[in-house]
Amino acid sequence: IEQHTYDITKKFGDKVARIIVVNEPHVGLSTEEVIAAFQGARRAGTKAKLGLSETDIHYSAGAFTNQTKALVLLLKEKGLIDYLAVEGHDLQYQNEVAKNVSSEDIATTLKEYGVPIIISEFDINTTLMTGSSKEKNNSQAARAYMVMRGFLKSGVVVGLNFWGIDDKDSWLTNGANQQEYLNKGGSPNADPLPFHSGEKKAFYYALQRALFEDILSKQ
């Protein structure tokens, strides 16, 4: 990690603003390994912000929320972490649908990490939504509005990235023929992104509404 971070810094210099040092530690990394990775990155002398990335942690009942809170706190105490990349795969897992998620819950959860947040890999899986295509689009838009309000209310989100742009390119859609993705709730009609065949969906406009309302509330 130290050598790799040094090589990136040497080649790109200040053009690299952030580096994800560890991605999805839940797959089997120990706390000691995560700490060692961040220590290595710090020794490389980079000016880039160093972050941790994890999935299913944007709400209090997320599968890895408590585990990530403890890990971020430990890294903070050691002066090793600058930000947390929260992979915003909303409704990624089937059991997430039954959990009580609200904009207030999302905002509180993100604030409790105690570091700046980048929402990365944002999408909203519609596999388990019912009704016609239009009805599913509207349900997705309502969910997008609620989730986005949570991001904004937190006051700690400093960036947001989507995990793709168009439905046809989504990891959930393209991987749905593999059992791994089916187990995670993926399907050929997951349609989790703001565009479909190049056209803006209700999802897109719901995000704009949340953003504009947030801006107006601060004027």
Side-chain angles (χ1 to χ4, degrees), residues 129-140:
M129 293 179 182
T130 58
S132 65
S133 177
K134 182 177 181 180
E135 288 170 334
K136 289 180 71 172
N137 275 339
N138 288 339
S139 295
Q140 183 187 43

Side-chain angles (χ1 to χ4, degrees), residues 10-12 26 28 44 59 61 63 69-70 74 82 93 103 121 129 141 164 170 179 183 197 200 207 215-216:
K10 184 177 180 181
K11 184 172 183 179
F12 298 106
H26 78 266
Y59 59 107
K69 283 181 181 178
L74 186 58
D82 298 307
Y93 299 107
S103 57
E121 307 186 22
M129 293 179 182
S170 165
Q179 193 61 42
N183 290 342
S197 298
K200 296 172 184 174
L207 295 178
I215 291 169
L216 291 173

Side-chain angles (χ1 to χ4, degrees), residues 72-115:
V72 170
L73 178 61
L74 186 58
L75 291 169
K76 266 189 69 179
E77 289 175 346
K78 295 179 177 295
L80 295 172
I81 192 170
D82 298 307
Y83 73 99
L84 176 65
V86 174
E87 298 176 18
H89 296 302
D90 194 53
L91 302 180
Q92 175 182 4
Y93 299 107
Q94 294 189 27
N95 64 358
E96 186 183 336
V97 178
K99 293 176 179 176
N100 185 25
V101 181
S102 65
S103 57
E104 290 75 17
D105 177 62
I106 291 171
T108 299
T109 301
L110 296 181
K111 280 191 286 190
E112 287 177 348
Y113 286 114
V115 292

Side-chain angles (χ1 to χ4, degrees), residues 92-173:
Q92 175 182 4
Y93 299 107
Q94 294 189 27
N95 64 358
E96 186 183 336
V97 178
K99 293 176 179 176
N100 185 25
V101 181
S102 65
S103 57
E104 290 75 17
D105 177 62
I106 291 171
T108 299
T109 301
L110 296 181
K111 280 191 286 190
E112 287 177 348
Y113 286 114
V115 292
I117 302 290
I118 300 286
I119 302 298
S120 63
E121 307 186 22
F122 184 38
D123 53 22
I124 300 177
N125 185 7
T126 68
T127 296
L128 297 181
M129 293 179 182
T130 58
S132 65
S133 177
K134 182 177 181 180
E135 288 170 334
K136 289 180 71 172
N137 275 339
N138 288 339
S139 295
Q140 183 187 43
R143 181 81 182 190
Y145 176 73
M146 181 276 290
V147 172
M148 191 65 172
R149 279 177 57 83
F151 294 163
L152 295 168
K153 281 182 180 181
S154 74
V156 295
V157 173
V158 297
L160 184 148
N161 300 319
F162 294 93
W163 198 233
I165 298 297
D166 200 286
D167 286 334
K168 63 181 173 58
D169 299 321
S170 165
W171 68 288
L172 285 168
T173 302

Side-chain angles (χ1 to χ4, degrees), residues 18-75:
R18 295 184 178 90
I19 296 174
I20 291 176
V21 179
V22 174
N23 181 59
E24 298 185 358
H26 78 266
V27 297
L29 287 178
S30 68
T31 299
E32 290 74 22
E33 287 171 320
V34 173
I35 291 173
F38 273 87
Q39 288 172 333
R42 282 284 184 228
R43 285 196 300 269
T46 180
K47 294 180 181 179
K49 302 292 186 182
L50 303 182
L52 174 81
S53 178
E54 186 57 281
T55 191
D56 205 44
I57 61 170
H58 61 289
Y59 59 107
S60 61
F64 311 111
T65 298
N66 291 334
Q67 174 183 324
T68 304
K69 283 181 181 178
L71 190 53
V72 170
L73 178 61
L74 186 58
L75 291 169

